[in-house]
Amino acid sequence: MDAKEAQLENGRLSNTVVDAVKRWGVPESGIETSSYTLNKIQEWDPETRNYKNRGYRLTHTLKVTTSRINDVGDLVDKAVEAGANEVSQITFTLQDETERQARNEALKKAMEIAEEKAQILATTAGIALGGVTNIQEQNYYYAPFDYSKSGIGATLEAAEAPTQISPQKVEIQSSVQVIFSIR
């Protein structure tokens, strides 16, 4: 019923979850707050035709990053056992260097395909292809995500069976628009 009380309880709970995640092996640099929201909960009372205060809800959302992708289910279980009552999204991405290499490879392949298509079109039209006059690139980074268990009942589920989280493929696509001169 009190905002300060909600804040103190959430702080205690958040610290317990963060400690559990650290014990699991996530470094402090892999844990960050992505949102922190304190809201008054009000409910309409048709009898009195007024809003009644029902207390406060504080949501502290943590973003946790790990490279141990095959153990993510265990990490979810540890966080829920420590008191996390919602797991909203699990996303698989690439590490920076791997992503850079994959983007570069995708760009090379896109450029090769663009040149090949331009040559086919020029040959079919009976003209000679000249040099490149303009290049524009577009990158697409698609990291599929898997919604995991959420809700307060998740603590009981974690005790019954370990959470199975299967990593998904991460896809990087590049597209180039190339303008060639003709001779």
Side-chain angles (χ1 to χ4, degrees), residues 69-80:
I69 62 172
N70 292 322
D71 298 328
V72 170
D74 185 49
L75 174 58
V76 168
D77 290 344
K78 296 299 184 216
V80 170

Side-chain angles (χ1 to χ4, degrees), residues 46-85:
E47 241 178 64
T48 63
R49 301 180 55 85
N50 287 314
Y51 283 101
K52 285 188 174 184
N53 289 335
R54 295 292 183 209
Y56 290 84
R57 175 179 295 123
L58 195 148
T59 304
H60 184 183
T61 305
L62 298 171
K63 177 182 175 186
V64 177
T65 304
T66 181
S67 60
R68 293 172 48 191
I69 62 172
N70 292 322
D71 298 328
V72 170
D74 185 49
L75 174 58
V76 168
D77 290 344
K78 296 299 184 216
V80 170
E81 287 168 13
N85 58 12

Side-chain angles (χ1 to χ4, degrees), residues 11-168:
R12 184 197 62 73
L13 187 58
S14 294
N15 289 339
T16 302
V17 171
V18 167
D19 289 344
V21 168
K22 286 180 184 177
R23 278 192 308 278
W24 184 85
V26 176
E28 193 162 332
S29 62
I31 305 168
E32 58 187 274
T33 295
S34 62
S35 71
Y36 187 89
T37 309
L38 176 63
N39 293 313
K40 182 181 268 190
I41 302 170
Q42 293 186 320
E43 185 178 282
W44 179 254
D45 183 348
E47 241 178 64
T48 63
R49 301 180 55 85
N50 287 314
Y51 283 101
K52 285 188 174 184
N53 289 335
R54 295 292 183 209
Y56 290 84
R57 175 179 295 123
L58 195 148
T59 304
H60 184 183
T61 305
L62 298 171
K63 177 182 175 186
V64 177
T65 304
T66 181
S67 60
R68 293 172 48 191
I69 62 172
N70 292 322
D71 298 328
V72 170
D74 185 49
L75 174 58
V76 168
D77 290 344
K78 296 299 184 216
V80 170
E81 287 168 13
N85 58 12
E86 184 173 332
V87 176
S88 63
Q89 185 174 337
I90 296 174
T91 306
F92 296 96
T93 60
L94 299 174
Q95 292 181 341
D96 292 343
E97 181 59 25
T98 304
E99 180 183 341
R100 187 185 68 71
Q101 289 172 356
R103 282 190 188 280
N104 289 345
E105 189 60 37
L107 278 173
K108 282 183 199 177
K109 188 69 174 168
M111 189 63 187
E112 289 170 7
I113 292 169
E115 287 178 296
E116 181 180 321
K117 286 181 178 182
Q119 189 60 55
I120 291 169
L121 291 171
T123 301
T124 303
I127 55 176
L129 197 59
V132 174
T133 62
N134 189 353
I135 301 175
Q136 290 182 334
E137 70 151 317
Q138 296 175 332
N139 287 309
Y140 303 97
Y141 183 63
Y142 173 68
F145 55 87
D146 177 25
Y147 285 96
S148 186
K149 58 182 157 176
S150 63
I152 295 175
T155 304
L156 295 175
E157 293 172 23
E160 293 172 12
T163 302
Q164 297 295 317
I165 304 291
S166 300
Q168 296 174 319

